[in-house]
Every structure is written in C-alpha cells, then in structure tokens.
C-alpha cells in the first residue's frame, strides 16, 4: 500500500464519525429486527491461519466455534486471516461502518485511541497474572473502552495475547543489565522503542518487520525485541545469538466489534456472544502460556543463549526504561489521568510523584 495516495486515517475517521449517531441508530434498528435470523459476521486479523505460528488465529478459531455453539448457529463467524480484509487502517474503518469484528494491533488502535500506548509502559508487569488483572479489572482499561466507544461506536471486547512478553535479542554479547546495551544498534518498531533503547545507552532505528531478518543478518542492527513467537516466525534465531527474558512489554492485540451490531442483538444472543468471547480468550491465554515455555526451549535448542536477569537487574531496566517512556508519552496528546490510572492499576503510583 502506498501511503502517500491515502488521506490520514484520523481525517477519514473524522468524516466517518460525523454521521456516527445516525449510522449507529440505523444499524441498531436493522439488527434489532433481524437478530433472530442467521447472521454471518466477518472477523479479520493479521498473520497466517497457523495455530503453531499465530496465537491470534488460535483465539479466532476458538471464538468461531464457541459463538456458533452458544448461539445455536444464529451467528456464524467467517475468519479472514493474513489481513485479507485489508491492513490495519482499512479493517478499523470497516468495523466502524459495517457489522463486523476485527482483531487490531497497536497500529490499528492508536490512531483513534492513542491512550492505548499507556498500556505499553515497559516493565509494567511481572508476569501474565498481573497483566491479565490489569486489563480485566483496571480502571484505566475501562476508561480506554469508554473512549473508544464514544469516539467510534466500537466495542472493545477482549485483549488477545499474541505470544508472551517481549524479549531482547542480539548477536554481540549477553545482555543482563542496561549497561550491556552500550554502543549497540537495535531495530525499533516505533519511536517509543527508540526512546527506550536510548535510555539504555544504545541506538534505535525504525525498521519494518519484513526487513528485520536482513537488517540483523547484514549488521544494520545488532538486535531487536519481540516475543518468542515472532522470533521463531521470523527465523531470527538464525541471526541472533542471545535472548534476554526481561518481560519488557506484554504482547497483545485487541478484539473490537461494531457496537450497533452488538446492541442490535437481543439480550440472550448478546449474552451468548459475550460469553463465547470470554471463554475463547481464556482458552487462548492457557494455550499461549504453555507455548511460551515451549518456544523458549526451541530457541535454546537452535543455539540461542538464554539470559534470565536477576530481580536487581530487572529493577535497573525498569528504573531507566519507564521514565524515558513516560517522557515520550508526555509528548503525545494523552490526558495525564490515563497515565495516572494505569500506574495505579499496576501498583506504581510512585512514578507520578
């Protein structure tokens, strides 16, 4: 896709939202009258339809089965993997304007709710349990859900794990503390990661995922960070020698649905659907947790040295990385209350004092 030929997502969304109340009313009325009829709902997402390589596909497959079972076939999900329905921006527009579902990454969500970047504060969670509690029960995430619904008419239905916590890899030396980063060059996914690397004394260069392997192979970058699933998916173990398990960021995507569609179903149908979402997410979490350990073992078998920093070393990463990321967040158009709520939910209110 040539971005220069398209208007920015935010401006196009602005036009879409201008008629949102009328659109929502029309869609709700339409679905209220046809809720009992068999309905096919499209769901799009990134990545291959391969349960061994794509945790999001595992979730989508389970969701399809559970929705169709619990609604007794009145709702049928049609899966579109590999971004068949379009890239992130196109899919977000589709789900805003048509009765459908979408599993979006930060690239799809952040243009309409930049507050979502707050959930990626590095070293915010010690483990899966703390991350899941943060999203399932926290006031910050409820505020994000409310903001998304108010701005777009979308319902934020689930936080979908996509492969564990992000880990550092590199081919120069074992990294167990921030000082080990000195002088290294890292691939960055976005400017927030550049800020993180610079806080550790390294440099960061944005490189598209499709170019990461070659960049690492040719020395354009010494390292990168991703969950084990993506390290395997990209065969990065062929060009990286060291894997540092530092629980940098929780790796997730987001199930969103057209709010008018969901509101238009009767109470029984809506309840069955939401129950299916919750069960599918729990199944995906259990699958993901098991796969993470297996994937780390696989990477070790491929010759990568696994580094597990001590608690003191993790504290060093946190003490340098979080302030740098918070400074970056401060340059975004995000209300401070979202940051304050997130830190409180994570038990880290001292960072704002």
């Amino acid at each position: 896709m040539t971005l220069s030929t398209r208007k920015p997502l935010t401006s196009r969304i602005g036009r879409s939202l201008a008629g949102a109340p009328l659109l929502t009313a029309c869609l709700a009325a339409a679905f209220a009258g046809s809720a009992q009829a068999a309905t096919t709902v499209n769901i799009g997402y990134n990545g291959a339809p391969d349960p061994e390589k794509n945790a999001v596909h595992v979730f989508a497959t389970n969701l399809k089965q559970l929705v169709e079972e619990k609604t007794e076939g009145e709702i049928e999900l049609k899966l579109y993997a590999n971004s068949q329905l379009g890239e992130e921006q196109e899919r977000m527009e589709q789900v805003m304007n048509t009765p459908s579902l979408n599993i979006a990454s930060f690239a799809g969500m952040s243009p309409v709710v930049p507050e979502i970047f707050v959930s990626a504060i590095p070293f915010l969670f010690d483990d899966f349990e703390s991350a899941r509690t943060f999203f399932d029960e926290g006031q910050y995430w409820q505020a994000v859900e409310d903001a998304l619904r108010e701005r777009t008419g979308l319902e934020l239905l689930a936080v979908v794990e996509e492969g564990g916590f992000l880990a550092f890899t590199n081919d120069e030396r074992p990294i167990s503390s921030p000082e080990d980063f000195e002088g290294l060059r890292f691939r960055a996914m976005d400017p927030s990661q550049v800020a993180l690397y610079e806080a550790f004394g390294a440099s960061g260069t944005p490189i598209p995922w499709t170019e990461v392997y070659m960049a690492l192979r040719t020395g354009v970058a010494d390292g990168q960070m991703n969950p084990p699933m993506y390290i395997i998916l990209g065969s990065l173990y062929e060009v990286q020698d060291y894997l540092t398990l530092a629980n940098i960021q929780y790796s997730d995507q987001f199930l969103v649905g057209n709010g008018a569609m969901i509101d238009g179903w009767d109470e029984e149908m809506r309840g069955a659907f939401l129950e299916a979402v919750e069960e599918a997410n729990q199944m995906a979490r259990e699958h993901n947790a098991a796969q993470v350990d297996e994937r780390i073992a696989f990477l070790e078998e491929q010759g990568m040295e696994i580094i597990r920093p001590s608690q003191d070393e993790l504290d060093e990463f946190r003490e340098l990385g979080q302030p740098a990321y918070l400074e970056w967040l401060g340059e975004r158009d995000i209300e401070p209350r979202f940051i304050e709520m997130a830190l409180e939910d994570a038990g880290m209110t001292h960072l704002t004092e």
Side-chain angles (χ1 to χ4, degrees), residues 9 32 38 47 114 154 186 188-189 202 249 281 284 297 324 335 347:
L9 175 61
L154 296 180
F186 273 76
M189 183 174 63
Q249 291 168 322
N281 207 21
E335 292 182 55

Side-chain angles (χ1 to χ4, degrees), residues 227-250:
M229 182 185 78
Y230 282 100
I231 296 169
I232 296 172
L233 183 64
S235 299
L236 303 188
Y237 53 85
E238 297 178 354
V239 291
Q240 298 279 270
D241 297 326
Y242 307 102
L243 172 69
T244 301
L245 302 176
N247 284 8
I248 308 160
Q249 291 168 322
Y250 179 72

Side-chain angles (χ1 to χ4, degrees), residues 75-147:
I75 300 176
E76 176 185 351
L77 296 191
K78 190 168 184 180
L79 307 186
Y80 289 90
N82 276 328
S83 303
Q84 294 176 65
L85 296 180
E87 298 298 335
E88 294 281 354
Q89 295 183 2
E90 286 84 357
R91 297 205 314 273
M92 285 297 286
E93 292 175 0
Q94 288 168 16
V95 77
M96 286 166 58
N97 294 300
T98 63
S100 58
L101 300 169
N102 177 39
I103 303 177
S105 73
F106 274 78
M109 296 286 287
S110 58
V112 288
V113 275
E115 294 87 352
I116 204 167
F117 277 121
V118 176
S119 69
I121 293 173
F123 314 106
L124 194 61
F125 311 116
D126 292 328
D127 49 33
F128 282 122
E129 182 179 357
S130 59
R132 292 164 181 171
T133 299
F134 177 89
F135 288 104
D136 292 347
E137 302 175 12
Q139 57 177 344
Y140 154 76
W141 195 245
Q142 183 60 59
V144 171
E145 292 179 358
D146 293 344

Side-chain angles (χ1 to χ4, degrees), residues 150-170:
E150 181 180 349
R151 296 171 193 173
T152 67
L154 296 180
E155 197 74 37
L156 211 171
L157 299 163
V159 176
V160 183
E161 292 178 1
E162 59 168 350
F165 284 86
L166 275 67
F168 296 120
T169 72
N170 86 101

Side-chain angles (χ1 to χ4, degrees), residues 232-292:
I232 296 172
L233 183 64
S235 299
L236 303 188
Y237 53 85
E238 297 178 354
V239 291
Q240 298 279 270
D241 297 326
Y242 307 102
L243 172 69
T244 301
L245 302 176
N247 284 8
I248 308 160
Q249 291 168 322
Y250 179 72
S251 182
D252 50 8
Q253 294 191 34
F254 312 95
L255 175 67
V256 295
N258 182 281
M261 172 186 72
I262 296 169
D263 291 345
W265 294 331
D266 64 32
E267 185 176 350
E268 182 178 0
M269 180 87 77
R270 187 164 54 251
F273 172 78
L274 295 176
E275 185 178 283
V277 169
E278 184 175 355
E279 288 188 23
N281 207 21
Q282 182 58 36
M283 292 169 65
R285 286 175 172 182
E286 293 170 2
H287 174 85
N288 182 55
Q291 290 292 310
V292 167

